[in-house]
Amino acid sequence: MPPKKNVVAEKPLLGRPGNNLKMGIVGLPNVGKSSFFNALTNSSAPSENFPFCTIDPEEARVEVPDPRIDVLYKLYNSSKKVPAYLTCIDIAGLVKGAHEGQGLGNAFLSHIRAVDGIFHLCRAFDDADVIHVEGAVDPVRDLEIIHTELRLKDCELITKHYESKGRDVARLGVNGDKSKKEEFAAVKKIYEWVVEKKKDARTGDWTGKEIDIINEFQLITAKPVVYLCNLSEKDYARKKNKWLPKIKAWIDENYPGDVLIPYSGTFENALSQLETDAERTDYCTQLAAKHEITVPIISVLPKIITTGYSALRLFYFFTCGPMEVRCWTIRQGTKAPQAAGVIHTDFEKGFIMAEIMKYSDLIELGSETAVKGAGKYMMKGRDTVITDGDIIHFKAGQVNASKK
């Protein structure tokens, strides 16, 4: 008999399974969350100058910008194109003591628990007309307030489970249920990391079993974070602000590897109100001249959207033809049958193979025929992991209807 293959258990990802994931916009009141949401979605969520002007979360889908879909649209002479989308939620501002219910904190924290990733927005501009709930602008302090509130809410939940499961295990005795003891050991490790060491769940080193428990608890500190720093229009144009180095140092010290993106809510909102590319270009040109800037000033919203999409470990593959070019969102590590199931569940059930070509090969060689001629049109089976930008044609067999 041939030797058995060593099957390596795949570690699950932190967070909800699936591809319909959401980014929540989180921060203190009056730091520019709703204004950012309005610019991002070109919508009109309330953004008045007082705390908690947003109570019920606003939700919108924004297109994920990618020039590749435009190239494929022209190459296939398609009738339509369907891009990928990122769902964004505008969540009301948190305040110090939110985990204890301050400022409607319990409701707002439940909204954060319901999203899958966080745009953590802080304010680094002075404006006497826009009140700050802490009295003065200090984005590093603000970051610490929000992180503390989110962690303390997790501590509350973890402690309940730790104490409850601890009592259950104590009643089991020496020869009790082994699986329950292993589960308690995992909960204890999470408790020690988040509650005792005061660390975010996302920064821990976890086994697959521990990740399953973290996902079951829906811990807020397990969610990926992208930091956004709201600057004045002048500071954004000049790419200078006294707080930016301090914010970057704080992130590098506490959450190395996390992304910080400076932007200007004033600039992005003004730009979003203009109707044509010519008007937007003229606005940017006038702004550059006003502040004597030689480098072109551009919107950073496309970068924010793609960064948020990637933070959720999402990407997409393409299906292409004369009818349409479409992006299909999947999560990192998705295999071919599950990717087919995103198009239709029957494609996953009846999966036979995936015919795959790389976007780079198609662009380099110019056509599907040329890709096939070069031997780069691949027939792949069910263990194939799909990668970003793959162009795929699935083959599936007939699925018999289940008997009643």
Side-chain angles (χ1 to χ4, degrees), residues 123-144:
R123 168 181 168 181
F125 66 89
D126 291 304
D127 188 337
D129 294 329
V130 181
I131 60 174
H132 195 294
V133 291
E134 291 296 318
V137 173
D138 184 343
V140 174
R141 175 206 60 211
D142 296 350
L143 290 172
E144 290 176 343

Side-chain angles (χ1 to χ4, degrees), residues 378-391:
M378 300 168 287
M379 311 295 181
K380 294 292 185 178
R382 60 180 56 252
D383 289 331
T384 299
V385 176
I386 305 303
T387 59
D388 178 53
D390 283 350
I391 300 167

Side-chain angles (χ1 to χ4, degrees), residues 236-239 267 280-281 283-289 292-300:
Y236 177 72
R238 298 182 309 151
K239 302 190 184 304
F267 170 74
R280 287 186 280 272
T281 300
Y283 182 85
C284 292
T285 301
Q286 290 183 29
L287 183 63
E292 300 180 347
I293 307 297
T294 56
V295 180
I297 302 171
I298 59 173
S299 171
V300 77

Side-chain angles (χ1 to χ4, degrees), residues 237-248:
R238 298 182 309 151
K239 302 190 184 304
K240 291 181 180 180
N241 179 276
K242 67 179 181 179
W243 290 109
L244 282 178
K246 298 176 183 178
I247 297 169
K248 184 68 168 63

